[in-house]
C-alpha cells in the first residue's frame, strides 16, 4: 500500500522535471538570474577546482569543504590528475574581510558548460555562495552525476538573512550548532543570532562575572575558547554571529549569581519554573557598571558590530512592586514602565556605543528617545517594522518566521518583509528594512530534534530573504525544498533521519514500519497550543521523546494526499488512477491500527497514541466508504453521513498535542460523495 | 504489503518475549551466569551512579560515558537530585593498569533489584564491561524504561577478543574507527588490531622515516599525535591496540619512499594496481637497520606488548628472480623461500625482543626456528591453530571470522576456536588458544559503509569469543543481535542508517520506498567472488556507491521469509495466517518492478539493477502461482513447472555481484506445490 504514496511522491517531485524540456534546477534560494544552457558537465573522479585571483585562506578552506561535500554527496573520492585542466575555476578580486560587515557584496556569477565551470565574484563571500549553488546543481542522471549547463548571476535581495537559535531553554551543543551553520551556508543565510541567555540558563562564559555560568547554567555553557572556535567556523562560511543577552526581562539566569541586579529579592534559580521571577533593576548605578564591564568583555569576544540586548516582554509588575523603583520613576517624571525601559535602553545604548557596538533589540526597545542608529527586530509584524522605518529606524523581520510555531513552510514563505506596511514606504525608507530572521525558540526542542524543527522549512525562509519578491510558486518551493532537504542530510544535518531513531526508541526492538505510517500523518499542534497540553508547570528537563517530539513539523504525506484529493475532485471524481492511489492510501490507514496497536500498548512512550491511531483507522474507513459511494453512485444513507461527520469532528481534535492532518481531505471526499450523489 | 513483513518481524523478535514468563534479556555476549529476578529498576530522571572503592580516572570517564549513552538511548536528560540515594553503585578494588596486558581479570558482578543496582569488579576493566551490560539490559515497557531485576556473574572465555580493521586498501578516518571502538566495547571485545600498512598505503606517521607516509599514503595517514589520542580512546574503553606493519609481503607502500628495501627495482607506487610489485629483501643488512629503527619508534608509540609483523602471502617470485637473493639462499643453505622468510622472521623477532615486543604474525610465520614466545594468527583454520599449539605456540583464530567474506552471522557464529583440531588438545595446550579476531579487510569498504560490513555481525563473533562454547542457539543469537544492533546506532554507529542514505544518493530526489524493497532482498556475493565481477585491474579509488555497496551483508527479510516458508511447509501448507503473510510478501515483490523500473532507468548508479528487479518480480509471480496451486489443489501443468525452474535458475545467478536471496524459499514453494499436488 505504501508504494502508492511513494509513487505519488515520485510523480509530484520528478514527473514535473520529465514534462519540461530542461530539467528543473533544484536551487534554493532561486538565484537572481538563471539561464539554462544545453548539455551538462560530468562530475568525474578527475574533478578539480582551481583558485585564481586574490589569495584567501578562507576561500581555500571553502574550496576544500566544497570538495569534501561534493564527495559525500556523490560518493566519488576525487583524484584529480596532476597537470590536467581544472574543472571548476574560481576567481575573486578580494579576500573575505577579517570582520564581516552588514551589506558586504555577496554577488557571484557561475557559468557551467559541458567542458567546465567558472565562478567569479568581487570577493570571497560571493564565491562561497557560488560554491553552494554548484553543490545544489549536481544531480544524478543516466550518465552519472552532472552539473547542468547554466549561467547564473546572483545576489541577495536583503543583506540580513538570519537564523536565531535559543540555547537557553534547552542547551544546544556546539556540534549541533555547527551543522546548522553548514545548513545556513547551504541556503545562503548570513547571520547567526545566538540567543545566549534567558531565564533558564546563561550560556556564554564570562571571566569578569564567572557566576553567570557557574551559578546560572547548570553546567551547560560554552567556554570563551569554544566560542572563539565557533566564531571562526561561522566566519569561514561567511556568516556573522550576533550575540543576544536578553535584558531587562528574560534574565533570571543573571540573577542566580548576581541577585543585586534584580528588581526584587531572590534567591533565584534556573531550575525550571520554580522560585521567584524578576527583571533587571534599571534604577541602580551598579547595574550599569556591571553592564559596562560585561559589554566590554563580550564586545571583545564577539567581533560583530551588532550587539543584541533583547528587550522583549518586560514584566512591569516587578518594577511596580518595588517602592524604590516607584520613587525613582516619580523623581524622573516617568509615567509608564515603557519610559523606564527607554531610560534603561538609552543607558545601554551609550554603553554599547562606547564599546563600538550598534544596539539591536526586539520591538519593545523602540522609543523616540533612542538614536536612529539602533536596529529593531520585529516579532510583531511588517506594520510595526514599517512604522519604525518611517521614524528612521532600521529593522529586520522575525514575525512570520518563528519556526517554533510549527507552521507549514508555505505559510512562512508567504510572509514578505515588504508586504503590509512595507508597501507604504518610500524607497529611502525601504532601505531600512534590512531583511529578516527565522527563529528557533527552544522550549520544545532538544539537540536530538532541533534539526527537524529548523529544516527543511528554514530553506523556504532563506529563499524569501534572498530571492526576488515575485518568487512565490509554492509547488516549486516544496519540490526544491525537498531536494535541498535531502542534500542537507549529506552535510550532516539530521532533520529527516533523527525521526526514525526516535521512533525506534519508543518501539524498543520492534519493527517501526506501522509506527512510521502513523508518524507520517500527524503534526504537532501549532502556535503556542502545546503549552495548553502541558499540565502544571513546564519542566524543561523533561525528556522530549514523545511522538510530538519525533514527527516532522509538516507532513509531506498529508500535503501530497490533499493534492491528490483536490486533483481527484477536479476530475469530477472520475480519474481512476487517482482513485486507485487514494484508495491504496486509505486502506493502509484503515488497516494500520490493527498492526500498530499491540506495540502502542507495550511502550510507555507510545500508549498516548492509541486514540490517534484508532482515529486514523476510522478516517481511513470513512474515506473508503466515501470512495465506494462515489464509485457506485449510490445515495448515501443519512445515518452514514451523520456517523462520518461525528468521526471527522472527533479526529480533528488535537490528541495530546498531535494533529491528525489527513482529516481535511477525507472530509472533502465524504462531502464530495454527498455532493456527487445529490447531483444524480 | 510491507506491513506483513513488519508484522512478521514483530512476531519473531517480540512475540517470543511475550510467550515467556520472564522477558528475554537482550544481552550479547551472553554472560557466564544470569539469574533473573522479579520486578525491575525504573530508569528515572533522578538516576545516578556512585563510584566506590579505588579511585580511577578511566572508570570515572567510563561512568560519564555510560550516563551519556544511557541518556541517548532513553532520551532522558538525567538530573540527579543532590543528596538522594544513588541508583547504581560501582565498586572496584583496583584501577585499570596504565598499559593493559593480555589476560587481565575482566570479571564483574552486576545485581539489579527494583530498588537499585550494584556493580562490583576486581578492577575497572570488569566494571567497564558491567556498565555495558547494564546499558544492554535497559528496555522500554508500559511503565517506562527499566532494567529488569537480575544477578549476573560474568567473565570471558578467551582473553583475546579482537577486531582487525584494514585501513590501507581504503583509508578509514579516526572518527569512524572511534565509533567502532565504541561498538567493540559494547560487545566486550578487547583488542583492536590496526592493519596500518599494505600495498595500497602506509597509514602511520614515522618521524624517523617520513617518506613512508609522505610518499606512500597519498596524503591519507594518521599523525603520531592522532594515534596517541586514539590509543587513549581505546584504553579508556579497556581495549588494547595491536599495530600491524605487514612484511615482507603486502608492503609495496614502504618501497615507494624506500625502494632499497624491495627485492626488485622500482619505482613503486601506491596508486592502484599499476606498476611493479615486490616483497622486502631479507638479505641486506640495511633492511634490518631500517626495521630496528622503525620498531624502536613504533614500539614507543604503541605501548602494547604485542607487535604484528604480518608475514602472510609472500610472493616468492620476487626472490626467485633476484640473483643476489638466490646466491644468498645458496650461501646460507636455504632450500625454500619459506626458509628465507623464517630467516627474516628470526631477525625480526630479535629486533622486537630488543624493543620488548612480542611478535605476532599470520600462519606463515610458523617455523621451528622461531621461539615459542611468538603468537600465530590463523587465517587457515582451527587445525592449523591446533597444530601450532601442539608445538607450543600460542595462537588466535581469524579463520571463519573474516567479515569481508560477507557470510551470514550464523556461519561465523558456528566457528569455534576449539572445534576441529582444537578438540585434540591437552588442557595445557588449550590454554595456548588465546581467542580470536574478526577481520574487516578493506578492499570493498569505504568510511561510509564499513560500519554495515562490521555490524551487527561482529556482535555474533564477540559472543563466540566471550560466552560459553555451549551458547549456540541461532534464533536467540539473531534476536539479540538485532536488539544490540539497534542500540549500537544510538552509540553513533551507522550500520543500519547509512544504507538508506546511499540508496537516496542513487535515487536523486525520488522516493526510495520501492528501492528499499529491492535492497532488502539482495546480498553481495560471498567469499572473494566480487573480484570476478570486477573487469580489468582493481582500482581502490573507484566509488563504492553501487547497490552492492549499500545493501546489508545479510538480509533479515530473506531470513524471516525463509523461516515463514519452512514453518508453512511444516504445517503441510495449511496454516492460513502464514499463507496470507507469504502471499502479501510475494505480491509486494511481484509488483515492485513496475514501481521501481522508471527510477532504475534514470540513474547511472541504478541501471545495473534492472535485471535483478525484474527477477524479483518473476520470483514473486512464481511464488504466488505456487501458492495458488497449493491452495486449490490443482495439478500444475508441466509447462508451468519447466518455466518456473528456468526462472528460478536464472534468478539464482549473481547479477553484477548481487545475489537475490529469496529465490531458495520460492523454489521450495514451487517444489512444495508439485509435491502436494502429487500426493493427492
Amino acid at each position: 500500500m505504501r508504494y502508492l504514496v511513494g509513487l505519488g511522491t515520485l510523480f509530484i517531485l520528478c514527473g514535473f522535471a520529465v514534462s519540461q524540456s530542461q530539467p528543473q534546477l533544484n536551487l534554493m534560494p532561486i538565484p537572481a538570474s538563471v539561464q539554462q544552457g544545453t548539455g551538462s558537465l560530468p562530475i568525474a573522479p578527475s574533478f578539480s577546482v582551481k583558485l585564481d585571483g586574490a589569495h584567501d585562506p578562507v576561500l581555500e578552506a571553502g574550496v576544500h569543504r566544497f570538495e569534501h561535500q561534493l564527495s559525500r554527496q556523490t560518493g566519488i573520492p576525487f583524484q584529480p590528475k596532476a597537470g590536467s585542466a581544472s574543472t571548476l575555476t574560481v576567481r575573486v578580486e578580494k579576500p573575505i574581510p577579517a570582520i564581516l560587515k552588514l551589506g558586504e557584496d555577496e554577488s557571484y556569477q557561475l557559468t557551467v558548460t559541458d567542458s567546465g565551470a567558472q565562478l567569479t565574484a568581487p570577493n570571497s563571500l560571493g564565491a562561497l555562495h557560488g560554491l553552494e549553488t554548484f553543490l545544489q546543481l549536481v544531480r544524478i542522471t543516466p550518465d552519472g552525476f552532472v552539473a547542468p549547463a547554466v549561467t547564473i548571476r546572483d545576489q541577495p535581495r536583503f543583506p540580513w538573512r538570519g537564523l536565531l537559535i535559543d540555547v537557553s531553554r534547552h542547551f544546544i551543543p556546539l556540534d549541533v550548532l555547527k551543522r546548522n551553520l553548514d545548513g545556513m551556508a547551504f541556503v545562503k543565510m548570513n547571520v547567526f543570532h545566538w540567543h545566549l541567555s534567558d531565564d533558564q540558563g546563561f550560556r556564554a562564559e564570562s571571566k569578569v562575572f564567572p557566576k553567570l555560568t557557574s551559578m546560572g547554567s547548570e553546567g551547560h555553557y560554552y567556554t570563551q575558547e569554544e566560542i572563539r572556535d565557533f566564531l571562526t567556523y561561522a566566519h569561514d562560511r561567511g556568516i556573522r554571529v550576533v550575540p543576544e543577552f536578553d535584558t531587562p526581562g528574560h534574565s533570571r539566569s543573571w540573577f542566580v549569581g548576581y541577585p543585586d541586579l534584580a528588581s526584587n529579592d531572590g534567591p533565584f534559580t534556573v531550575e525550571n519554573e520554580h522560585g521567584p521571577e524578576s527583571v533587571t533593576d534599571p534604577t541602580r548605578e551598579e547595574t550599569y557598571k556591571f553592564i559596562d564591564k560585561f559589554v566590554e568583555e563580550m564586545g571583545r569576544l564577539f567581533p560583530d558590530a551588532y550587539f543584541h540586548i533583547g528587550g522583549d516582554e518586560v514584566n512591569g509588575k516587578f518594577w511596580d512592586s518595588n517602592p524604590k523603583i516607584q520613587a525613582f520613576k516619580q523623581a524622573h517624571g516617568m509615567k509608564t514602565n515603557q519610559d523606564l525601559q527607554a531610560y534603561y535602553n538609552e543607558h545601554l545604548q551609550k554603553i554599547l556605543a562606547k564599546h563600538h557596538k550598534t544596539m539591536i533589540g526586539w520591538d519593545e526597545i523602540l522609543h523616540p528617545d533612542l538614536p536612529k542608529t539602533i536596529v529593531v527586530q520585529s516579532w510583531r509584524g511588517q506594520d510595526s517594522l514599517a512604522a519604525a522605518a518611517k521614524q528612521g529606524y532600521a529593522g529586520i523581520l522575525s514575525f512570520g518566521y518563528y519556526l517554533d510555531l510549527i507552521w507549514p513552510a508555505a505559510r512562512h514563505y508567504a510572509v514578505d518583509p515588504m508586504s503590509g506596511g512595507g508597501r507604504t514606504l518610500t524607497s529611502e525608507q525601504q532601505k531600512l528594512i534590512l531583511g529578516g530572521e527565522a527563529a528557533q525558540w527552544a522550549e520544545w526542542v532538544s539537540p536530538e530534534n532541533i534539526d527537524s524543527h529548523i529544516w527543511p522549512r528554514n530553506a523556504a525562509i532563506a529563499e524569501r530573504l534572498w530571492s526576488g519578491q515575485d518568487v512565490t510558486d509554492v509547488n516549486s518551493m516544496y519540490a526544491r525544498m525537498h531536494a535541498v532537504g535531502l542534500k542537507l542530510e549529506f552535510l550532516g544535518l539530521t532533520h529527516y533521519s533523527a525521526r526514525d531513531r526516535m521512533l525506534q526508541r519508543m518501539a524498543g526492538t520492534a519493527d517501526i514500519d506501522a509506527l512510521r505510517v502513523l508518524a507520517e500523518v500527524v503534526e504537532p499542534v501549532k502556535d503556542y497550543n502545546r503549552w495548553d497540553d502541558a499540565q502544571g508547570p513546564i519542566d524543561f528537563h523533561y525528556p522530549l521523546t514523545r511522538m510530538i517530539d519525533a514527527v516532522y513539523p509538516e507532513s509531506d504525506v498529508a500535503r501530497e494526499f490533499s493534492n491528490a484529493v483536490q486533483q481527484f475532485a477536479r476530475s469530477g471524481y472520475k480519474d481512476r488512477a487517482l482513485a486507485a492511489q487514494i484508495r491504496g492510501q486509505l486502506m493502509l490507514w484503515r488497516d494500520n491500527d490493527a498492526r500498530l496497536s499491540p506495540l502502542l500498548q507495550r511502550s510507555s512512550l507510545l500508549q498516548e497514541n492509541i486514540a490517534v491511531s484508532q482515529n486514523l483507522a476510522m478516517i481511513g474507513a470513512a474515506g473508503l466508504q466515501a470512495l465506494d459511494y462515489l464509485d457506485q453512485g449510490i445515495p448515501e444513507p443519512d445515518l452514514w453521513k451523520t456517523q462520518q461527520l461525528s468521526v471527522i469532528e472527533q479526529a480533528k481534535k488535537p490528541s495530546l498535542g498531535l494533529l491528525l492532518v489527513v482529516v481535511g481531505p477525507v472530509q472533502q471526499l465524504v462531502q464530495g460523495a454527498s455532493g456527487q450523489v445529490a447531483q444524480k
Side-chain angles (χ1 to χ4, degrees), chain A residues 202 204-214 224 254 257-258 261 286 288-301 355:
Chain A
F202 197 100
E205 179 191 32
S206 164
K207 297 190 192 244
V208 181
F209 300 107
K211 284 191 279 186
L212 285 171
T213 53
S214 70
Q224 295 202 351
W254 308 53
Y258 301 95
L261 293 171
E286 288 75 7
Y288 299 104
K289 285 186 188 153
F290 183 103
I291 288 181
D292 184 37
K293 283 189 198 161
F294 177 75
V295 170
E296 183 182 18
E297 182 187 21
M298 290 299 144
R300 270 204 296 264
L301 182 59
H355 298 296

Side-chain angles (χ1 to χ4, degrees), chain A residues 11 38 79 132 155 257 297 355 395 498-499 508 584 592 597-598 624 670:
Chain A
F11 177 77
T38 48
Q79 299 285 333
E132 304 287 359
Q155 72 207 35
E297 182 187 21
H355 298 296
R499 184 196 65 184
N592 198 61
S597 131
L624 284 168
V670 169

Side-chain angles (χ1 to χ4, degrees), chain A residues 453-489:
Chain A
H453 282 246
I454 296 175
W455 304 99
R457 293 180 304 146
N458 188 46
I461 299 172
E463 173 156 296
R464 176 55 49 242
L465 298 172
W466 176 284
S467 306
Q469 190 167 2
D470 57 338
V471 175
T472 53
D473 181 333
V474 168
N475 287 332
S476 163
M477 180 275 283
Y478 272 113
R480 290 178 293 110
M481 188 175 81
H482 178 71
V484 163
L486 292 172
K487 288 198 175 174
L488 286 167
E489 281 263 332

Side-chain angles (χ1 to χ4, degrees), chain A residues 111 118 208 282 298 428 452 525 563 596:
Chain A
T111 309
Q118 287 77 41
V208 181
M298 290 299 144
E428 275 310 299
S452 74
V525 286
N563 286 345
L596 185 55

Side-chain angles (χ1 to χ4, degrees), chain A residues 672-680:
Chain A
S674 309
Q676 266 322 83
V677 172
Q679 279 171 26
K680 299 203 177 201

Side-chain angles (χ1 to χ4, degrees), chain A residues 499-507 512 515-516 519 547:
Chain A
R499 184 196 65 184
D500 283 2
R501 197 159 297 170
M502 293 178 78
L503 294 183
Q504 193 68 64
R505 173 189 292 138
M506 302 175 199
I512 60 167
L515 194 55
R516 209 188 276 128
M547 184 65 98

